[in-house]
Amino acid sequence: MPIIIELDVMLARRKMRSKELAEKIGITEQNVSLLKSGKVKGVRFETLEKICEVLECQPGDILIYKHEDAQG
């Protein structure tokens, strides 16, 4: 998938654990783990907004677009 989620990087920069983020934004730790691993099809803007608020970052700090070349 050409969208890469770098939530783990931002958590490390903020010295915050997944459990703490989950509590602050009101989702389960398991859902944070799924986001970190990129095993999700999408994320609600409301959730993204809360993540950015808590981590004091922009969506572009978490979501990275990487072009996939046609050759595979």
Side-chain angles (χ1 to χ4, degrees), residues 7 25 35 47-56 62:
L7 182 56
I25 65 174
L35 278 170
T47 303
L48 184 58
E49 180 183 349
K50 289 177 183 178
I51 290 170
C52 289
E53 183 179 326
V54 169
L55 296 178
E56 298 178 355
I62 299 169

Side-chain angles (χ1 to χ4, degrees), residues 2-67:
I3 301 292
I4 299 167
I5 301 172
E6 293 195 332
L7 182 56
D8 54 341
V9 174
M10 191 54 62
L11 283 168
R13 287 182 183 158
R14 300 298 189 250
K15 295 178 173 52
M16 186 180 293
R17 295 189 165 219
S18 298
K19 182 177 182 177
E20 183 181 353
L21 178 65
E23 290 171 356
K24 288 185 176 192
I25 65 174
I27 66 173
T28 66
E29 191 175 351
Q30 181 179 5
N31 282 338
V32 172
S33 179
L34 289 171
L35 278 170
K36 283 175 43 179
S37 68
K39 295 182 179 178
V40 293
K41 297 279 184 189
V43 61
R44 292 177 184 262
F45 283 128
E46 180 182 354
T47 303
L48 184 58
E49 180 183 349
K50 289 177 183 178
I51 290 170
C52 289
E53 183 179 326
V54 169
L55 296 178
E56 298 178 355
C57 67
Q58 295 294 314
D61 297 327
I62 299 169
L63 303 173
I64 309 297
Y65 173 76
K66 183 177 179 187
H67 180 71

